[in-house]
Every structure is written in structure tokens, then in C-alpha cells.
């Protein structure tokens, strides 16, 4: 039982967190491309 | 800041995959599993997860933001944010990562050699695995493989950001992840693998009250995510102005630790399924230069994976291909960091690469020939990374943590906003962790070496303090000269 709970917490936080953030990043990037921001190659910071 | 001829990563995904290539290295595969085994299996995973959020991700955010804001490598970035009189701190960060490059190229060479041996079948035909490793490491061939590893990395850097770094990482990181997933499926379906997974995920509560487990978890995060090395900062120079910082940083930290978890599941399942009762002894043995598990014991296990030589060979090739990919993607970033520093001084990229590669080859030879020298360098500059992390946090504190957070991290392009908790982590938690880690490592070394002060011993406090002292002393003396040149070259 304890093993399963730990596996779910650890894998859920790390791998699950990674996948969730990846989905958020994909959506944000899609919006940026829509707005044309992602395609602007700035020459300087 | 920056120059008009600068290249940029072609997309956010190219930046992410390249930065993930920095973070994912051999430490995820060979060091993580050994440290988990030595610290009570599942008990280790809880503090390891906590330190991801209070050490690794905050420092990765800092590195992304520093590189994007200053468009300089660590030396220039720290000179700009902390002030000219602290430029020597940036020089130290560069030196530590460059010193690591010298011997990491040797490690990458070992991985490539074992990949070749797995391909030819020699690795699985041998009966004496320890002898196989010793014959290789005690001879001159590590120099040849060190040369091959460094040449590949220099060539990638020579090709530039999009055609070199980006393209190479797309191949290396994708190969690594694909192979790890295949190996994971095979490993967890081996008869008896569940015992390994059970050990990996079962926390022993008594270990959680042991401070050493917490310190090992912090150390693993400090060494394995690449946070505070200055490498992510260097790649961030090539990120576009309207690129996000906090979300990308969190993705790198979690992506890196996901790879460690997958590698851990593969190794624990395989070792428990194929080694039986002796599994724990084998998995905790570090062997010479932490090589025991990877270069001596795992090849033996691959030989037992099935009754077919060809199937075993395929799995051995896949494992060492994954390991070589992980090592190469990190080595490329180490070479780029040193190269970028010379570019910041106004030296042309091609000349800088030639100089860095030649220097890397020459200074890597002692580590290729002598494992004691290798151990010394791994110890001195591995612990030195904690100082590097401290110097990066110091630069932000000097610049103004709140200003840094609101104007740079949460500035143009950020997809998510970071709250005031970040100020607390950078101003208090990171310095506290640095002090605790440094004191612990140096005091521990005094316990295993009665002559802890002797700078000529391989792994003690004396050799660290002596080598850091010499390097810091030189950079403090040359501080004004070097900072004027590096900041002047970018004007």
C-alpha cells in the first residue's frame, strides 16, 4: 500500500507534472504563433 | 547587450530539447540509482523531489533569465548583474564547468568505447568483466576515446546553434528517451522485476529522519540537473526575446528528474530480476570512479538477459547508446560554455573552438590515464559546483531579487508569473543549502581522511580548499583586467 502511494505521489508529481506543463507550454506556444509573437526573431535581449 | 550576428534557437522546442540535453547526463543513469540504493530506496525519493523545487528549478529559472537578459556567458552575466568587482565569481563558474569538461570528455569516451564493444560483441563474450574494464582503463585507449568524444562535441559547436547544437540534441535526446522507454518495458517485464520496483518505491520511514538522506538528495539535485553550472545560462543566450523563462525552467527540472526515475526503474528491475539476493550489494558498489555498476556489473547482467546472444547484444547496445547520447549532449554544452566565454572576449568562434578543444584534450589526458587524478578532479570541481550555484544566487541578490523576478523572469514572453516565494528561495533557502552542503561535504571528507588538510590527497577538504583558493586568487587579482575586456568587447 505504502509502495503504491509513494509511486503515485513521486511519479505523479515528477512525470505527471512534466506532462501537464508540456501541455500548458504547447497551448501557450500555439497562442503565441497565432499572435505572431513566436515568429519574431529578435536581434537583441 | 548582445550582437546583431547572434544565432537563436529556431523554436521553443529546440531550446527545450537542447537544454534537456544539458541536464540529462550520465548522472541520471549511473549515479542516481546508486544513491537511491544507498539511502533507503523510496525514502530517498521524497527529499529528492522536495529539493527539485527549492534548489534546481529556482536556479534553472535564474540561469535562463540571466542568459536571456545579459546575452553573455556566466563571466559576463555575473559582471553585469552583480557588478564589475564580482566578475571573478563568473570566472570561477566558467572555470569549474571547464575543469569538469576536461574529465567529462574522458567519461564520454568510456561510454563510446563500451558502445563499440557492445556492437562488436566483445563486451558480452568476455567472462571477466572486471578484467575487461581494468584492461581498458589502465591502457592508453581512453585517450583515443577522449579525443573522439571531444572532436564530436567541437564539430557540433563549430556547426553553430541551429545546425549544430539544436540538430545534435534533437538526435541525441530523442534517441536517449526512445531507448529508455524500450528498456523500461523490457526491464519491468523480467521475472522478479517487481522486487526491484518495490524496493525503489517503498519508503523506510526511519531513513527520513536521517539527515544524510536529505543531504544526499540535495547533492543529487545539485549535480544532476545542471542547475548552477552556468550551462543553461549559456544556451539561454540563444533564446529569443519573447521566449518564456519560468515554464521552460520547470519543464527542464521535471523532465530531467523524469529521466532519472525511468532510469532508476530500469536499473532496479534489471538488477533485482537477474542478480537475486546479491542485488543490493552490487547496486550500492560504486567501484573505481563510480564505474562499478555501469561498466562492470551491468554488462554482466546484459549477458544474462535471455538465452539468445543476439537479443542480449541488442539490449547492451541500446543501453550504451543511451548512455553515450546522454554524455555527449552534456559534453557539447560544456564545450559551448568555454567557447562562448572566449567569444565574449571578442575572439572569433572558430578560433575559440579550436583553442577550447585543444585545451580540453590536453588537460583531459591526466584523467584518461590515471583514475586517482580523475577522482580528485571529480571531487574538487563536483563540490565546487555548489559554490557556482551560490555565486549565481549572489548575482541575483546584488542585482535586486524582486527587480530580477518582476522585470526579467516575469518580463516579456513569460507564460506564467512567479510569486514572491522566489525571493525567499533565492535570498534565504539557496544560501542556507549552500552552507549546509559545503560544511557537510568538507567535514565528511575529514572523517574518511585523517590528513584532511593535505592538498595532495585525492578526496579531502584540503585539496578542495587549495585548488579553489588558487583559482579564486588568480581571478581576483585579474578581475579588473578581465571584466574591462569582457564588457568592453560587447560594446
Amino acid at each position: 500500500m505504502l509502495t503504491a502511494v509513494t509511486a503515485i505521489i513521486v511519479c505523479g508529481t515528477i512525470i505527471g507534472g512534466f506532462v501537464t506543463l508540456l501541455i500548458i507550454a504547447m497551448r501557450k506556444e500555439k497562442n503565441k504563433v497565432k499572435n505572431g509573437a513566436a515568429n519574431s526573431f529578435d536581434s537583441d535581449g | 547587450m548582445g550582437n546583431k550576428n547572434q544565432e537563436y534557437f529556431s523554436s521553443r522546442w529546440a531550446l527545450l530539447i537542447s537544454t534537456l540535453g544539458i541536464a540529462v547526463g550520465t548522472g541520471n543513469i549511473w549515479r542516481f540509482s546508486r544513491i537511491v540504493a544507498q539511502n533507503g530506496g523510496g525514502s530517498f525519493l521524497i527529499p529528492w523531489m522536495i529539493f527539485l523545487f527549492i534548489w534546481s528549478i529556482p536556479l534553472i529559472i535564474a540561469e535562463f533569465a540571466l542568459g536571456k537578459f545579459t546575452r553573455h556567458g556566466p563571466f559576463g552575466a555575473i559582471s553585469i548583474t552583480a557588478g564589475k568587482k564580482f566578475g571573478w565569481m563568473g570566472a570561477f563558474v566558467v572555470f569549474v564547468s571547464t575543469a569538469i569538461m576536461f574529465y567529462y570528455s574522458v567519461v564520454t569516451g568510456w561510454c563510446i568505447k563500451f558502445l563499440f564493444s557492445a556492437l562488436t560483441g566483445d563486451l558480452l563474450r568476455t567472462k571477466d568483466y572486471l578484467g575487461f574494464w581494468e584492461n581498458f582503463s589502465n591502457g592508453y585507449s581512453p585517450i583515443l576515446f577522449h579525443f573522439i568524444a571531444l572532436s564530436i562535441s567541437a564539430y557540433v559547436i563549430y556547426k553553430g546553434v541551429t545546425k549544430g547544437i539544436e540538430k545534435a540534441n534533437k538526435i541525441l535526446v530523442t534517441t536517449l528517451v526512445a531507448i529508455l522507454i524500450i528498456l523500461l518495458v523490457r526491464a519491468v517485464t523480467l521475472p522478479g522485476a517487481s522486487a526491484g520496483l518495490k524496493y525503489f518505491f517503498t519508503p523506510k520511514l526511519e531513513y527520513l529522519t536521517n539527515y544524510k538522506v536529505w543531504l544526499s538528495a540535495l547533492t543529487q539535485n545539485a549535480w544532476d540537473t545542471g542547475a548552477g553550472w552556468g550551462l543553461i545560462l549559456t544556451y539561454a543566450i540563444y533564446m529569443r526575446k519573447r521566449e518564456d523563462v519560468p515554464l521552460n525552467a520547470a519543464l527542464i527540472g521535471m523532465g530531467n528528474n523524469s529521466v532519472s526515475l525511468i532510469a532508476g526503474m530500469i536499473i532496479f528491475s534489471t538488477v533485482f530480476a537477474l542478480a537475486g539476493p546479491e542485488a543490493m550489494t552490487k547496486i550500492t558498489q560504486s567501484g573505481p570512479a563510480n564505474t562499478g555498476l555501469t561498466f562492470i556489473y551491468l554488462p554482466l547482467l546484459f549477458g544474462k538477459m535471455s538465452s539468445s546472444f543476439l537479443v542480449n547484444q541488442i539490449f547492451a547496445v541500446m543501453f550504451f547508446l543511451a548512455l553515450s547520447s546522454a554524455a555527449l549532449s552534456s559534453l557539447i554544452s560544456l564545450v559551448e560554455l568555454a567557447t562562448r566565454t572566449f567569444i565574449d572576449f571578442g575572439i572569433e568562434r572558430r578560433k575559440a573552438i579550436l583553442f577550447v578543444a585543444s585545451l580540453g584534450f590536453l588537460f583531459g589526458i591526466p584523467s584518461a590515464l590515471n583514475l586517482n587524478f580523475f577522482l580528485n578532479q571529480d571531487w574538487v570541481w563536483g563540490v565546487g559546483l555548489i559554490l557556482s550555484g551560490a555565486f549565481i544566487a549572489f548575482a541575483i541578490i546584488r542585482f535586486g531579487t524582486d527587480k530580477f523576478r518582476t522585470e526579467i523572469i516575469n518580463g516579456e514572453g513569460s507564460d506564467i508569473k512567479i510569486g514572491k516565494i522566489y525571493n525567499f528561495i533565492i535570498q534565504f533557502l539557496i544560501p542556507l543549502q549552500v552552507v549546509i552542503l559545503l560544511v557537510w561535504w568538507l567535514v565528511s571528507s575529514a572523517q574518511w581522511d585523517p590528513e584532511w588538510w593535505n592538498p595532495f590527497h585525492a578526496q579531502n577538504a584540503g585539496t578542495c580548499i587549495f585548488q579553489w583558493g588558487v583559482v579564486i586568487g588568480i581571478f581576483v587579482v585579474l578581475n579588473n583586467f578581465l571584466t574591462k575586456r569582457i564588457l568592453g568587447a560587447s560594446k
Side-chain angles (χ1 to χ4, degrees), chain A residues 2-41:
Chain A
L2 193 59
T3 309
V5 171
T6 313
I8 291 166
I9 291 174
V10 174
C11 293
T13 309
I14 305 292
I15 302 176
F18 175 72
V19 174
T20 310
L21 291 180
L22 195 63
I23 294 167
I24 295 172
M26 285 163 87
R27 284 188 179 166
K28 297 275 184 186
E29 200 59 21
K30 211 175 161 184
N31 285 340
K32 278 185 184 173
V33 173
K34 251 187 202 169
N35 299 333
N39 293 324
S40 68
F41 282 76

Side-chain angles (χ1 to χ4, degrees), chain B residues 370-382:
Chain B
N370 187 328
L371 277 179
N372 267 335
F373 186 84
F374 172 94
L375 275 177
N376 173 263
Q377 292 299 288
D378 190 25
W379 161 250
V380 172
W381 306 116

Side-chain angles (χ1 to χ4, degrees), chain B residues 50-59 61 393 396-397 401 405 418-434:
Chain B
I50 293 170
F51 287 119
L52 171 68
F53 295 100
I54 60 170
W55 175 276
S56 304
I57 293 178
L59 280 176
I61 291 175
I396 296 167
I397 295 168
T401 316
R405 178 180 66 85
I418 296 293
K420 281 188 176 171
I421 181 85
Y422 187 78
N423 300 5
F424 176 73
I425 293 174
I426 290 290
Q427 288 173 330
F428 299 104
L429 285 187
I430 298 276
L432 181 71
Q433 292 172 90
V434 166

